[in-house]
Amino acid sequence: MVDRVFGILGRGVVRYRWVVVVLWLVGTGVASRALPSLGSQVNDNNSAFLPAKAPSLQAAKLAEPLSGPVDQTLVQVVAVSKDGNLSAADQARLQSLADALRRVRSVDLVQFAGVSPDGAAAQLVVLSRRSPNDIGGDKKLIGAMGSVVSHYQSPALQIHLAGSVATQVANNVQSQTEGRQTQTLSFVFIVVLLLLIFRSVLAPVLTLFPAAVVLALSQSLIGGLGSVGLKISSITQLLLIVLVLGAGTDYGLFLVFRVREEMEAGRSAHQAVEVALARVGESITGSASTVILALLSLSLADFGLYKDLGPPLAIGIAVLLLAGLTLLPALLAIFGRATFWPFPLKAREAHVGAWGRIAGRLIRRPARSLAIGVVVFGALAVAVIGYKPGGFGGELTAPPGSSAAIGNAALRHHFPQASQNPTNLVLALPRSVWDDPGVLSVATAQLRSSGRFTTMTGPLDPNGTPLSPSELVALHDQLGPALALPPAEPPGTPVPPVSYNAYRATARLISASGTTVQWEVGLRAGDPSSTAAINAVPAIRRTLAAVARRVHATASGVAGEAPALNDVSAISNRDLKRIVPVAVVVIGIILALVLRSLVAPLYLLASVVVSYLASLGLSVLVFVYLAHQGGLTFILPFLMFVFLLALGEDYNILVMSRIREEARRLPLRRAVVRAVGATGSTVTSAGLVLAGTFAVFAVVSARQPGGSSVESVGFGLAVGVLLDTFVVRTVLVPATVTLLGRLNWWPSALGRRGPHPPGGEGQSVQRSLQAAET
């Protein structure tokens, strides 16, 4: 019944082949022009993907009286005097700049954050109503602010935007470059490999062309979704490229190899396309369905990176499936036998081939072959015990030479007690510090004595100039709210300039009411995106909680990148436990429907789980023990399981479907030999293509600043695909099928009866099968 459905589809596509091609090309062109690009919507701030209940977001909300609403964007502006001393003219220029920035669309507040201790630099803090998760809006904001800043630059005063948002926008441009590099190198790798596989000119082009069309179309569709609120990270962008090109080529190989086989059997080009689609259409559909459903299961995740990763990639695979069943068959029908020129297509009987002979030797003693495979995989899996979760903070180092990189460097140099990426310790107090300033001394002393922080910018040391509690209160009584003070001290102000600048800088550390205070700290554990810093967060939270109890604070919280990534890691682990069972059940149902069996899906799923553990173990050996990295990015186990579970079943479906097809007319051992021989080149080629594209992903990522975490993802996925290709499909599956016999197909009719008597098999085929078995 299913074969007939795909046969009807094949005849329709062959008949209207030109219409199919034109519709695909026109639709892709229209979408590319009408919708925004995917790269323009990339946001690498992983804390943007946290649920509202995450402790780090609760802490950020607690700090709203200081920094504004959580969904506001904060941009730092740093001005540096060339002669090493900000003059009155420089400060007047800064005041004019602040007034001009207030007129920028969407800017709500411009604060003067103080003069540096060396007197050579000053900071402005700009708050915008734009969400920090709206990368498109942030790019417009940074562009508008940059235009304003450029008008106030002078030979004596250099001004730059700095901080995480300016860095994020700079890295967005970098990620688009990275995406283009991944796409270009993937195309080159696949084309070269296909040329070696087919030894023809057109076959590689026709196999890859539908994937290229789908990539362009899906990037436009997903970019459109990003413009209306879907959060897209750079890993989504890169994985879409790798997945569509790799899986698209795989599905193309499934069909192209079968079309060539049918042509070699003597069929015309159009008949070969129709028969091939009828035979492998279900395998392609089943394979794509496992990937789509596995990706959609990510929608159950709490972590937004996973939740928002699933739909874009599922869209790409769904469009790919449609192209694999329509566009590629139409192209093959148009070009016919010229597809394989100059490779000669001679009419010949089916042959076993090298992979069939290997399978024949292995299934002579299936129990031993299976045991050896399991032992090897088990040995690699033991290394999983050494797995340590590591960081994956969207890279907060701006591209070298960019304005954001210069601004960040100026912040580090002139404001050493501060950071463009601080960790914030927030306390909510029952009484105003203007009435009870002693709590600030107690809290500051206890935090400093913990030894967990390298630098501390707090209410009593706001810009490198120490203030005593009594001095702070006196300045408040004399000058009023710090937030209302101008950057330059007005003439006649009854306090020294040093004290004025120090008190003015407390605006971001003490709320106007005096009941919310914070300390901006540097972590002794290391950079906030590092594994050590992420692992130190629970201890930092306990330290702050102890301080809160000491000063009778009503609430406390730790905000910043390290706390956010610690929350992400914890939520990611919970998501893994929730989503894995769902994905396994859903893919198991697809396998049962495609193979008409309740037994085969069990060991096929088990084979992928064993392969996954072996791949993860090998990644641990390479990156933790050999490369001495602090840990593997916490997204690696999750992504590896979902992708290998889905993609690993692609090859199992193709091989098992062919074994089932051959078992209808051959004894099971011969059916295994014949099926593995017929699909061996297809699966090997597909596995090399997919593993190669993941390897390209790893290599390109490794060349980017902070790309080691993404590199491990690409490496793990490439290794997993290779293990599935050369061990699971070659050893584990054929051996298990042989051991189980008819039970493989239970409860279908094929599981209750033997094969049909051999018919139509040439003597050479019979001899090849017998030779392979013996």
Side-chain angles (χ1 to χ4, degrees), residues 274-317:
E274 294 172 6
V275 173
L277 191 58
R279 298 285 173 81
V280 301
E282 184 180 11
S283 296
I284 294 174
T285 303
S287 298
S289 297
T290 61
V291 179
I292 291 170
L293 293 176
L295 292 171
L296 290 179
S297 69
L298 298 180
S299 301
L300 300 175
D302 283 333
F303 182 33
L305 177 65
Y306 297 155
K307 179 179 291 188
D308 295 328
L309 180 68
L313 298 184
I315 289 171
I317 297 298

Side-chain angles (χ1 to χ4, degrees), residues 61 89 121 133 225 238 264 355 370 398 471 563 617 672 749:
K61 190 171 182 63
N133 306 334
L225 293 175
L238 295 176
E264 289 176 340
W355 287 112
L370 181 61
E471 287 175 327
V672 170

Side-chain angles (χ1 to χ4, degrees), residues 15 17 55 82 202 295 309 328 418 430 454 552 644 747:
R15 181 175 181 181
R17 52 194 178 276
K82 282 291 187 179
L202 271 178
L295 292 171
L309 180 68
L328 180 57
T454 55
H552 307 292
L644 294 181

